[in-house]
């Protein structure tokens, strides 16, 4: 048997004994399960083994630079992987990452803890590590990634039928996009008092709330539109506040009058202590833009890049469909491009550069971006 060593090449095939030896003294090492992953803790390092495959709900190789662990994790694993265990560089022990394939264990290389998520169960005080993202020190090549994360069959992706209604029947466009993007959930009907309150809202906002009863994520995951019960006037009684940024840094409002709502009112962007600024699209277009933005921000599969030039943006988006609306968001003008199962927004950073964020319903939907000549900061394809 070959002498195991931390210097063994990336993507080499090893057996369990060789892998465990990377932790140090195998007689003293302890093995734990973290969801579907195996974590071996030793005196000189940690070995983490995930099963080859691709799934949202279990530990796996997520992309070329990230391995995700989905728990819960036993306390010794939490203590080894928690952020405080990585506070000082001179105390870090190496993390060796592996993927199990039918032939054995494929060594992915070493990695570091990128982020963690903990929860507290009702009636308990100790936080439990439920998720952990590990960043590989050396990105995987596409062929190696396909070996440990075999491509899934191509699914049916949401269509673009809604796009043809954007400058015609915007209510139909909004409904078709939301129902195509989000799976239906069980309805949570609001009480009669809340439904009565909604009659003071414009028709477009009431229709949006009805859609959100079956698909609550459409209310937003980054920023949010309030349910009808939370819409109310500002302290001066002049504006009807119906949505806000996730940290409360700004809000979206409509002019409030005793004469009742306009058919398709102007949406006002309001930052703290700053005069309101009108969004370029009225409520009918704004709700489509908000929905596209939040769909991308909350997607399971993403692609992110920063500091693109105008020429790169032009090349980057030529294979996508532009959404024919004026820019969203006064402070950082944002335009949208789409493909089946894909929403991409380009934001003008006001310094001759642009940033992009794409969200997809499935990895396959990111395929149009795979060969783009840009430097991705995150790519789940």
């Amino acid at each position: 048997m070959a002498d195991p060593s931390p210097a063994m090449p990336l993507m080499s095939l090893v057996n369990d004994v060789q892998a465990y030896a990377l932790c140090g003294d195998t007689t003293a090492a302890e093995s734990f399960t973290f969801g579907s992953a195996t974590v071996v803790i030793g005196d000189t390092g940690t070995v983490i083994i995930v099963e080859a495959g691709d799934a949202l709900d279990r530990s796996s190789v997520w992309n070329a630079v990230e391995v995700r662990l989905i728990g819960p994790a036993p306390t010794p694993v939490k203590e080894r992987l928690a952020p405080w265990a990585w506070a000082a560089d001179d105390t870090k022990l190496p993390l060796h990452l592996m993927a199990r394939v039918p032939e054995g264990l494929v060594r992915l290389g070493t990695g570091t803890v990128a982020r963690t998520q903990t929860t507290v169960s009702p009636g308990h005080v100790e936080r439990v590590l439920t998720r952990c993202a590990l960043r590989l020190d050396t990105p995987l090549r596409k062929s190696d990634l396909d070996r440990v994360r075999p491509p899934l069959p191509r699914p049916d992706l949401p269509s673009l039928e809604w796009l043809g209604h954007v400058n015609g029947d915007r209510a139909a466009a909004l409904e078709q996009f939301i129902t195509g993007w989000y799976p239906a959930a069980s309805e949570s009907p609001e009480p009669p008092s809340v439904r009565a309150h909604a009659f003071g809202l414009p028709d477009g906002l009431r229709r949006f709330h009805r859609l959100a009863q079956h698909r609550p994520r459409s209310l937003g995951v980054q920023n949010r539109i309030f349910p009808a019960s939370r819409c109310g006037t500002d302290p001066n009684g002049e504006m009807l506040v119906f949505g806000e940024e996730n940290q409360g840094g700004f809000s979206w409002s409509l002019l409030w009058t005793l004469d009742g709502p306009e058919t398709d009112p102007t949406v006002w962007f309001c930052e703290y202590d700053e005069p309101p600024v009108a969004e370029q699209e009225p409520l009918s277009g704004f709700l489509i833009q908000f929905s596209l933005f939040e769909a991308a921000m909350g997607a399971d599969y993403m692609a992110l890049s920063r500091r693109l030039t105008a020429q790169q943006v032009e090349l980057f988006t030529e294979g996508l469909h532009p959404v024919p609306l004026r820019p969203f968001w006064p402070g950082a003008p944002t335009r949208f491009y789409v493909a089946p199962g894909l929403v991409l927004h380009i934001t003008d950073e006001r310094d001759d550069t642009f940033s992009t964020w794409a969200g997809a319903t499935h990895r396959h939907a990111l395929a149009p971006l795979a060969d783009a000549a840009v430097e991705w900061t995150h790519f789940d394809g």
Side-chain angles (χ1 to χ4, degrees), residues 132-173:
C132 182
L134 307 167
R135 186 173 184 85
L136 292 167
D137 294 331
T138 302
L140 302 178
R141 297 173 300 180
K142 180 64 167 63
S143 58
D144 294 332
L145 179 60
D146 287 344
R147 184 182 183 189
V148 296
R149 195 199 67 186
L152 295 173
R154 183 178 178 84
D156 292 329
L157 298 174
S159 77
L160 296 181
E161 181 181 355
W162 62 270
L163 190 60
H165 298 294
V166 168
N167 280 334
D169 187 348
R170 288 184 172 178

Side-chain angles (χ1 to χ4, degrees), residues 208-209 212 215-221 223-227 290:
F208 183 85
H209 286 144
R215 294 165 171 83
R217 281 178 64 83
S218 64
L219 289 173
V221 295
N223 308 311
R224 55 183 173 262
I225 287 180
F226 298 141
F290 175 88

Side-chain angles (χ1 to χ4, degrees), residues 190-203 205-207 209-210 227-229 231 240 261:
E190 293 186 305
S193 60
V194 172
R195 293 199 297 269
H197 178 86
F199 285 109
L201 302 177
D203 286 344
L205 201 51
R206 288 194 289 113
R207 286 192 294 266
H209 286 144
R210 284 199 295 269
S229 57
C231 295
L240 178 69

Side-chain angles (χ1 to χ4, degrees), residues 63-67 97 108-112 134-140:
N63 59 35
V65 296
E66 185 175 308
V67 174
L97 305 178
L108 308 175
T110 56
T112 56
L134 307 167
R135 186 173 184 85
L136 292 167
D137 294 331
T138 302
L140 302 178

